[in-house]
Amino acid sequence: MPTDLRAMLPPYRIKVVEPIPFLSAEDRRQALEEAGYNPFNLRADQITIDLLSDSGTGATSAAQEAAAALGDESYAGARSWFRFRNEVHDLTGYPHILPVHQGRAGERVLFTSLLKPGQICISNTHFDTTGANVKLAGAKPLDLPDPRAADLDSQEPFKGNIDLDALERTLGGPEGHRVGLVLMTITNNGLGAQPVSMANLEAVRELCRRHRVPFFLDAARFAENAWLVGQREPAYRGWTPRQIATRAFELADGCVVSLKKDGLSAIGGFIGLRDDDLHAGCEANLIATEGFSTYGGLAGHDLERLAQGLREVVDPAYLRARAASTARLARMINEAGVETVQPAGIHALYLNAGSLLPHLAPHEFPGHSLGCQLYLDGGIRCAELGSLYLGGMDAKHRLLTPAPFELVRLAIPRRVYTDTHFEYVAAVLAEIAKEPERVSGYRIVSAPPLLRHFKVRLAPTTTAVRNPADEPGA
């Protein structure tokens, strides 16, 4: 049997399915127009393949649903809380665990308790809500990505790392006293789903200890980072994904985790802490805004699903199959003539829209344009990570500072789509790549001042050549 087929074989079989819609080309055009050309505004029943996010979009297992039936909904001290707490403690080693309903709630509680107005939060890359919550706490997010990540085509194994030289200069420089937190995102979602090496985390820990700065992990994809470390970092070959993940948590002073990713659940998260005083402050904030400290806004059945999911997500067979399936999709897309950020991560692939659509200027948002075309041609929903999301704009929504790259993220839900679905995605991209000049640019009609990509409304800048196909894949 070919090695790649064995690696891709999922360690489960499908037990429950749901139908997916297939709209006509005209219906998709009308739906996107009514949504203000923003895929976030589309209804789920208008989507054929939904790759907008891997957050809360995965499939649960029979064991998770069986556990959920035992959920204890007591307001305080529920049995489900203790099972969840014990699983998280066993995985992370943190003495203090606070449940939250999702990662951004944990960010808000942690940052408002830890950061002071005027301070700086340093990261390898803040993602959207993370950076927003830093700002809402009155602090400033500062990204120091590894400069090797700027080469999208290189096979550098750990492009998600932080720039250690820049971190040391910042901590030891005139602004060093303002740094209130160093937050490492594993994997680096904002930088192409690239992993962070254990060597990088160890070096960050030493720098933070030397300069007396708290060091935390944003560990939404801790299991996937652990798998890639085991595959790419020689010092950790032979370690299990769970052992690597536990070691990563051990290096940090605490963590904030969205369990809608590697918790294999539709909802949930937690804050892990070592410091008693910080825990007391966060707990008071949690009780006032999220819920009592033994449920944090989660139902007992959610806590049960999460406790079971934390066991399943570090299964090497599951991680091997997921990584192999994403890598195969990357190969098919590349063979179709569309470049992706290399090497392939696990939870998402990032298309190089700037390279595919050179006829569109940054102010026409090539990444967003490609995302819209994927929906128009195939009912595929995805998200832009280019100048619409990252660019600097004036009050009239005119682009002043383009993003360094025009990318489109294809986020891969866990245990949801088969490889046949991914073959379809690659085929739609292949058709676009045959005639990329037919893809229209877009302009902003209206946008909120913060996190604009979620609620922005746009309009085409030109009339795109219509796809003659009337059905997906035709």
Side-chain angles (χ1 to χ4, degrees), residues 364-387:
E364 294 178 291
F365 309 122
H368 184 79
S369 300
L370 179 56
C372 286
Q373 201 66 43
L374 277 164
Y375 178 73
L376 291 170
D377 288 6
I380 301 163
R381 178 160 68 169
C382 51
E384 182 257 18
L385 269 82
S387 291

Side-chain angles (χ1 to χ4, degrees), residues 316-363:
Y318 156 76
L319 289 166
R320 179 183 300 110
R322 179 161 163 78
S325 180
T326 302
R328 178 175 183 260
L329 175 58
R331 290 195 298 272
M332 290 190 295
I333 290 172
N334 297 155
E335 289 166 1
V338 180
E339 297 176 8
T340 57
V341 175
Q342 298 292 331
I346 299 180
H347 84 268
L349 294 174
Y350 290 68
L351 313 177
N352 189 341
S355 174
L356 180 65
L357 307 176
H359 65 287
L360 296 180
H363 71 269

Side-chain angles (χ1 to χ4, degrees), residues 11 87 90-92 219-227 239-247 249 259 261-264 306-322 414-415:
E87 287 290 349
D90 186 63
L91 174 69
T92 68
R221 299 170 181 88
F222 68 90
E224 296 182 357
N225 198 81
W227 175 260
W239 289 48
T240 67
R242 188 181 185 91
Q243 288 171 332
I244 295 171
T246 298
R247 173 58 179 160
F249 286 118
L259 291 177
K261 287 82 169 175
D262 278 353
L264 301 180
L306 289 166
Q308 178 64 28
L310 287 171
R311 289 268 168 190
E312 294 178 6
V313 76
V314 289
D315 174 17
Y318 156 76
L319 289 166
R320 179 183 300 110
R322 179 161 163 78
R414 293 159 182 80
R415 306 188 295 200

Side-chain angles (χ1 to χ4, degrees), residues 27 52 64 192 254 310 316 337 357 425 440 463:
D27 286 342
L52 184 69
Q64 284 179 286
L310 287 171
L357 307 176
V425 172
S440 170
T463 301

Side-chain angles (χ1 to χ4, degrees), residues 399-442:
L399 185 66
L400 300 177
T401 309
F405 305 106
E406 304 294 341
L407 303 177
V408 176
R409 186 184 72 167
L410 305 182
I412 312 297
R414 293 159 182 80
R415 306 188 295 200
V416 170
Y417 294 117
T418 69
D419 285 298
T420 303
H421 291 108
F422 296 143
E423 289 169 5
Y424 170 78
V425 172
V428 173
L429 273 167
E431 290 301 308
I432 295 173
K434 290 178 183 177
E435 197 178 357
E437 62 276 2
R438 69 183 175 88
V439 178
S440 170
Y442 289 83

Side-chain angles (χ1 to χ4, degrees), residues 92 94-96 110 114 181-184 214-219 248-257 270-275 278:
T92 68
Y94 296 127
H96 301 299
L110 178 65
L114 182 59
L181 174 64
V182 173
L183 182 73
M184 291 290 291
F215 168 37
F216 275 64
L217 300 179
D218 175 355
F249 286 118
E250 183 181 276
L251 291 171
D253 298 313
C255 69
V256 59
V257 182
F270 72 90
I271 305 168
L273 300 164
R274 299 193 192 281
D275 185 82
L278 180 57

